[in-house]
Amino acid sequence: MKYYAIFAFIFLINYSFSTYATEQEPDRLIIKGDTILLHALPLEQWIDQSNYNKPFFPDSLRGFSTGCWRAYVAYWEIIDNRLYLTNIYNESKSAKADLNEMFGKKVKNGRVIADWFSDTVIAFNGKLLTYDHHGFSSVFEHEYEYVFDKGILKSTTYFDNSMSKNTPLFMGDALLNGHIDTLINWSALPTIEESGFAAIHVLANEQGRLDSIIHVYGSSEIFKQEALRVAKLITKFPVIYRRGKLQTPDIRVDFLFTAKKQKKYQKD
């Protein structure tokens, strides 16, 4: 991506939950009447273990998008500390898989106990705090860790991420759109005839202020120095907690210097 085409902040938080290039539509988990987002795919274990290779839906209803590579969304429920599969829908929710055809006699009262599934999974609900464009990597206000052994819930751990602030954050979201231009001292810059850019990689502290600078680059030394000065003035960098702990994402701050902006913001 060319730096001069970026008008705001892009926040790159590296998590390794998936190799998908797009944030994936999560399965749903119902527990004590609440529906939460399950950042795991228990049905994939069953598909692998059973070598199931039949389509869940007719081709005309299967659908496809980069946001749901698996082409289904499964619904799960925890009842008496056991994990049950209750439904499988296509992405548009216009079709539902036939559990009886897939699981036969294992279907009881319209659901299937997930006795094949053993893993530690993460689920979320509440306010979206940060969007990450990779697999299941977005972070929400309330985070839960569930440990399953052959479909039986062994432990639950809750993490409070609500101390996060200056959110939500999305890929390319203009969190401080316009504000950054008001902080630039346009009058102190030489007359801009050709557009230029600067970018800074920084770390922020728990107050949302600049903590340290990792790297600076730009089309001229003047633009780089002005970007450094402005970065120190910003007081609302993202503060993100995950698993109840402060994260230290590498934040890239991009600056675009144009004659049009200089004319608009330049003080007499």
Side-chain angles (χ1 to χ4, degrees):
M1 179 179 292
K2 297 181 179 180
Y3 300 120
Y4 59 75
I6 303 172
F7 289 84
F9 294 98
I10 295 179
F11 303 99
L12 302 176
I13 302 175
N14 294 317
Y15 298 117
S16 58
F17 287 93
S18 173
T19 57
Y20 291 118
T22 304
E23 172 77 1
Q24 294 297 293
E25 175 74 16
D27 280 1
R28 303 302 195 270
L29 175 64
I30 300 171
I31 181 168
K32 297 180 180 178
D34 292 330
T35 302
I36 61 181
L37 305 177
L38 181 61
H39 284 200
L41 302 173
L43 192 57
E44 294 300 304
Q45 277 195 16
W46 175 79
I47 293 172
D48 291 341
Q49 293 172 16
S50 64
N51 293 318
Y52 191 84
N53 57 9
K54 297 179 182 179
F56 292 175
F57 316 102
D59 290 343
S60 60
L61 297 174
R62 184 177 183 273
F64 172 80
S65 78
T66 58
C68 191
W69 287 100
R70 65 194 186 280
Y72 71 82
V73 176
Y75 278 68
W76 309 85
E77 187 169 3
I78 296 176
I79 304 173
D80 295 331
N81 288 329
R82 291 180 178 270
L83 180 65
Y84 290 87
L85 172 64
T86 59
N87 280 300
I88 306 172
Y89 295 95
N90 63 358
E91 187 182 6
S92 65
K93 308 297 191 298
S94 61
K96 184 168 65 172
D98 187 340
L99 296 184
N100 289 295
E101 182 178 330
M102 294 175 64
F103 292 93
K105 295 181 179 179
K106 292 192 68 174
V107 180
K108 305 292 183 182
N109 298 319
R111 55 182 183 248
V112 181
I113 185 169
D115 54 6
W116 67 84
F117 185 66
S118 297
D119 203 353
T120 299
V121 302
I122 299 296
F124 293 94
N125 68 356
K127 178 184 176 182
L128 173 65
L129 301 177
T130 179
Y131 175 88
D132 193 337
H133 206 59
H134 295 82
F136 296 128
S137 300
S138 293
V139 180
F140 293 78
E141 190 175 13
H142 305 294
E143 182 173 354
Y144 306 87
E145 179 185 271
Y146 299 109
V147 179
F148 292 99
D149 181 22
K150 296 181 180 179
I152 299 175
L153 180 62
K154 292 296 186 178
S155 67
T156 302
T157 306
Y158 169 70
F159 300 99
D160 183 4
N161 299 326
S162 63
M163 289 185 290
S164 301
K165 59 183 179 181
N166 305 333
T167 63
L169 308 175
F170 297 85
M171 285 286 290
D173 183 36
L175 180 66
L176 298 176
N177 189 21
H179 178 60
I180 193 170
D181 289 335
T182 67
L183 296 176
I184 294 174
N185 189 350
W186 296 96
S187 298
L189 297 175
T191 301
I192 299 175
E193 296 180 354
E194 294 186 6
S195 298
F197 72 90
I200 307 177
H201 286 260
V202 305
L203 296 179
N205 60 27
E206 61 272 18
Q207 283 79 43
R209 298 184 67 93
L210 179 68
D211 182 71
S212 59
I213 295 171
I214 299 173
H215 188 55
V216 184
Y217 42 93
S219 57
S220 78
E221 189 62 29
I222 292 175
F223 292 153
K224 287 164 60 177
Q225 290 303 315
E226 181 62 10
L228 279 169
R229 187 190 68 82
V230 171
K232 296 174 183 177
L233 300 177
I234 297 173
T235 60
K236 290 187 177 181
F237 283 117
V239 177
I240 302 297
Y241 282 78
R242 183 166 196 150
R243 300 184 72 78
K245 296 181 179 180
L246 178 67
Q247 306 297 294
T248 54
D250 175 353
I251 304 165
R252 193 177 77 193
V253 187
D254 291 277
F255 300 79
L256 179 65
F257 300 90
T258 68
K260 182 178 180 179
K261 285 186 178 184
Q262 188 175 45
K263 182 178 180 180
K264 176 181 178 180
Y265 293 104
Q266 193 168 27
K267 298 178 181 178
D268 296 331

